[in-house]
Amino acid sequence: MTSRIIAIGCSVLALTAGVARAADWGSKVPTEINITDPYLKQWNALTYDKAPPALEPGKDYGMSEDGTFRAPRATPLGGSPAFPGQLEAWDDKSYSQNVEEIAFYPHISSPWHAWPDVADFDGKRYMYVHDRDYMRVLDITDPAKAKVVYSRGGVWGPEGSSEDWDAKTVQDYFGGITIAWSAKLQKNVVVASYEIGRFGILDNKRTQPDIVATLRNYNSLKGFKVYEMNGPTPDDWKLIATRTTDTKNPNAPVGQQEGSGSLDAPAWFGGKYMYLSAAPDDSYALTEYPDYLHSPGYQVWDMSDPANPVFVSQVTVPGQVVGDKASEDAYLMNPRAGNRTSWMGSRMPLFLPTPVEKGGKVAFGAMGGLGLYTFDLSNPDRPEIKGHVETAPSFAGTEFDNVDTSQYARTGYVFANGYPMNSNCYEPYKDVLVIDAKDVAAPKVVATFPRPTPPQEAKFTDYCQRKGSFGPKRSGTTHQPGHGRDGIVPYAFYNAGLQIFDVKDPAQPKITGYFVPRFPTTSEMPDYTFDNASFAVFTEYDRNIIWLFSVGGVHALKTPLLGEPKLGMSDQVWPPRS
């Protein structure tokens, strides 16, 4: 009978033959350590195992006597046990203040994720709602009477998706897209990210060497594609460029490309400079996240000719590259090193309050557990690190994922947040941080957004009791029509729906409106999707319309906080022709 070393949580046990089952609180916890990949070997050897242990609901965290929720200190990724005091059934009530529903469109997106964007064609406005396994195009010229004009991929309903989709074998999909007007081509242009699969493939990189190898030799592009938009729907688009973000082997074919590919929607406004979130090769491996292999940095691309994108430079921050002593030393100084849980590196491109082509000189980089970085773009080819914000660890869930720069020009403040990855509040609460960045060399956290609380008519006193995920996701995208509105920022807040914050004084934010939709019934969607609740928001500031993406569909909303909605075309074409 053989003996093998099994790591569970933060302990190491010698067990007899057979693979230990993962604890009930998460399939992503380590079981039998089996690492063959050379980069993962180097990463794993740097630290000892400091994975957080399982916590007992009601004892280590849960409801307090005063009706507030006491959050866990730290948890592993995966597993979301219920705790005493939660509702037994999914809440079938909706709640709103200062927000009204214009229309609801069921079964438009998937229940997991949606990237939205819009573009105007021939007197109509179209919305693009997509993820890797589906694309929907809606004519939203009249948001009260939107209609689907293009559909590809599975449509979700009570039985799940209408089409099977295997993340391991997918070869062509749209990741995050950005639509911008190209003055050179005199057309709208789409740039679509393509990256290694992040969901439905790998559970634990320390125990699944075969899946790690699958991702290293991923059978889809690691990079981006550029399309000329000759009409509003993808069957009218023409592919004009394909690039890999692998800078070591830029001519490598699919299956031999290194790195992560391009994450999320590229930061491009139609001019020369495009900024991507990407790990350029497999040495960018210093991340604790159990089902992800890379620590993405940033790339700069020259898009003067959209048909011929040219790589310009890679931006790397301390603590990303395995095999580089200075980088490894910086990584080991981070208190998250060894926790087998935290995302390290970017998840989105650089955030630019003002495009470089319009005089922008500052960018912000949300680098997960590595913190928030400020950059000087005086030389846009080579962003220069100027400042850094670190916070105490908050895991599971992501840290420093999103940066809202909509108020920066007016105030010098930005808002940054991570978001929950576990359900049932089985992780520390993710605050939206108010950061004073007037001096980009010395940014500092000066306040946090108020934590949403349920209305008095609700049958619970804390949103954690409502079940599902609770916390901020993102405040929209950097390419929403009209860009933003002084003094107002909306956030998708998972089971707390849409939360609208008054940030006229950014150091004293307050909640001034909300729209919390009911959970679907099982006759509308399978209940295993309910956890995700409301996971994305997109605002047409030029028409005063907010789109909230929830597991059951898409809500078109209006609020007096923005003003009366415009139900026809905007006075200004989008994307702008500049």
Side-chain angles (χ1 to χ4, degrees):
M1 185 174 288
T2 60
S3 178
R4 290 189 275 194
I5 300 298
I6 311 293
I8 302 178
C10 58
S11 63
V12 177
L13 308 173
L15 300 182
T16 56
V19 178
R21 290 181 58 193
D24 290 340
W25 41 265
S27 63
K28 296 179 188 295
V29 297
T31 53
E32 183 180 19
I33 306 305
N34 183 11
I35 301 174
T36 60
D37 181 84
Y39 295 108
L40 287 184
K41 279 186 175 181
Q42 293 179 78
W43 159 75
N44 189 64
L46 280 177
T47 61
Y48 60 92
D49 196 330
K50 296 184 284 185
L55 300 181
E56 183 178 340
K59 176 183 176 184
D60 299 317
Y61 69 98
M63 297 304 297
S64 301
E65 291 184 0
D66 63 0
T68 59
F69 181 78
R70 180 169 53 92
R73 290 190 299 274
T75 55
L77 180 68
S80 301
F83 60 86
Q86 276 188 298
L87 299 182
E88 294 186 4
W90 295 99
D91 187 21
D92 61 359
K93 301 291 191 301
S94 298
Y95 312 95
S96 64
Q97 176 182 301
N98 275 338
V99 181
E100 293 182 34
E101 189 173 74
I102 299 171
F104 174 63
Y105 302 99
H107 312 307
I108 295 296
S109 65
S110 86
W112 312 121
H113 187 65
W115 278 297
D117 207 343
V118 299
D120 296 341
F121 279 90
D122 300 324
K124 294 183 178 181
R125 175 160 289 183
Y126 297 90
M127 173 175 279
Y128 303 85
V129 183
H130 65 101
D131 195 358
R132 297 165 180 83
D133 59 336
Y134 75 94
M135 166 72 81
R136 231 75 73 206
V137 183
L138 288 76
D139 179 344
I140 60 167
T141 309
D142 182 349
K145 299 176 182 178
K147 53 180 181 272
V148 176
V149 297
Y150 176 92
S151 181
R152 174 184 174 186
V155 177
W156 278 78
E159 303 303 319
S161 177
S162 63
E163 294 184 13
D164 291 332
W165 188 76
D166 186 350
K168 297 183 181 70
T169 60
V170 63
Q171 292 184 309
D172 190 31
Y173 60 83
F174 287 108
I177 69 170
T178 293
I179 302 173
W181 174 259
S182 168
K184 178 178 176 60
L185 299 182
Q186 289 294 295
K187 291 182 179 181
N188 285 328
V189 170
V190 169
V191 183
S193 289
Y194 289 74
E195 60 171 309
I196 62 171
R198 272 193 265 166
F199 310 102
I201 302 180
L202 181 67
D203 285 329
N204 193 315
K205 61 191 178 186
R206 298 201 297 158
T207 68
Q208 296 175 294
D210 55 334
I211 306 301
V212 170
T214 294
L215 292 173
R216 294 296 194 206
N217 301 288
Y218 197 53
N219 61 351
S220 186
L221 175 68
K222 299 177 181 179
F224 62 92
K225 295 182 180 180
V226 185
Y227 297 85
E228 184 181 277
M229 296 180 77
N230 296 311
T233 60
D235 46 17
D236 296 321
W237 301 354
K238 176 185 176 183
L239 177 65
I240 58 174
T242 300
R243 294 290 185 272
T244 176
T245 48
D246 178 351
T247 60
K248 183 188 295 184
N249 307 290
N251 296 315
V254 168
Q256 298 178 32
Q257 296 164 357
E258 289 197 24
S260 62
S262 174
L263 283 69
D264 218 278
W268 182 57
F269 301 93
K272 177 179 180 180
Y273 291 101
M274 179 171 72
Y275 299 94
L276 302 178
S277 168
D281 61 60
D282 292 340
S283 69
Y284 283 65
L286 295 180
T287 182
E288 294 296 319
Y289 211 70
D291 64 5
Y292 198 67
L293 304 178
H294 299 96
S295 175
Y298 302 105
Q299 291 188 353
V300 185
W301 286 77
D302 184 339
M303 291 286 287
S304 299
D305 180 359
N308 184 31
V310 177
F311 174 74
V312 177
S313 64
Q314 179 74 35
V315 179
T316 305
V317 307
Q320 291 196 275
V321 182
V322 76
D324 178 83
K325 187 177 186 307
S327 198
E328 290 181 345
D329 287 349
Y331 186 77
L332 290 172
M333 291 294 290
N334 193 306
R336 298 160 184 80
N339 72 16
R340 311 308 186 216
T341 306
S342 293
W343 180 285
M344 317 289 265
S346 66
R347 296 172 67 92
M348 300 180 73
L350 289 175
F351 295 86
L352 284 71
T354 304
V356 170
E357 293 80 5
K358 293 188 176 181
K361 300 292 186 184
V362 176
F364 297 87
M367 296 291 292
L370 298 177
L372 177 79
Y373 281 84
T374 59
F375 294 89
D376 181 356
L377 298 183
S378 296
N379 177 2
D381 287 351
R382 301 191 179 280
E384 177 188 358
I385 294 174
K386 295 297 290 185
H388 185 213
V389 173
E390 293 180 288
T391 57
S394 177
F395 57 90
T398 67
E399 303 169 90
F400 285 112
D401 168 82
N402 181 74
V403 183
D404 185 285
T405 63
S406 64
Q407 311 298 307
Y408 184 73
R410 178 178 68 92
T411 67
Y413 289 82
V414 298
F415 313 125
N417 65 282
Y419 63 83
M421 293 292 282
N422 289 344
S423 299
N424 297 328
C425 293
Y426 188 57
E427 63 180 78
Y429 175 69
K430 299 299 181 286
D431 277 305
V432 180
L433 306 174
V434 179
I435 297 173
D436 182 343
K438 291 188 286 290
D439 180 356
V440 295
K444 55 183 181 291
V445 177
V446 296
T448 59
F449 278 27
R451 190 177 191 271
T453 55
Q456 287 189 345
E457 66 266 27
K459 295 181 180 179
F460 48 94
T461 57
D462 192 285
Y463 273 111
C464 287
Q465 295 172 281
R466 199 176 186 235
K467 303 206 301 184
S469 294
F470 168 58
K473 182 66 184 287
R474 293 172 182 169
S475 55
T477 74
T478 57
H479 42 95
Q480 298 170 135
H483 296 294
R485 183 68 54 82
D486 285 351
I488 294 291
V489 178
Y491 277 81
F493 237 88
Y494 288 105
N495 72 2
L498 170 76
Q499 298 284 325
I500 302 176
F501 294 87
D502 180 333
V503 290
K504 294 183 183 68
D505 179 353
Q508 297 185 23
K510 54 189 177 183
I511 297 170
T512 55
Y514 54 80
F515 176 82
V516 184
R518 65 172 177 82
F519 285 102
T521 66
T522 53
S523 66
E524 297 167 315
M525 290 288 286
D527 59 5
Y528 62 80
T529 68
F530 292 1
D531 281 357
N532 221 21
S534 297
F535 52 81
V537 64
F538 185 91
T539 304
E540 296 180 80
Y541 288 103
D542 63 344
R543 298 202 301 167
N544 297 332
I545 299 163
I546 299 175
W547 297 87
L548 181 66
F549 298 82
S550 300
V551 295
V554 183
H555 306 263
L557 306 172
K558 63 179 181 178
T559 171
L561 301 171
L562 290 180
E564 191 64 24
K566 185 175 180 60
L567 303 183
M569 287 296 290
S570 170
D571 297 332
Q572 301 294 321
V573 68
W574 190 263
R577 309 294 199 247
S578 58

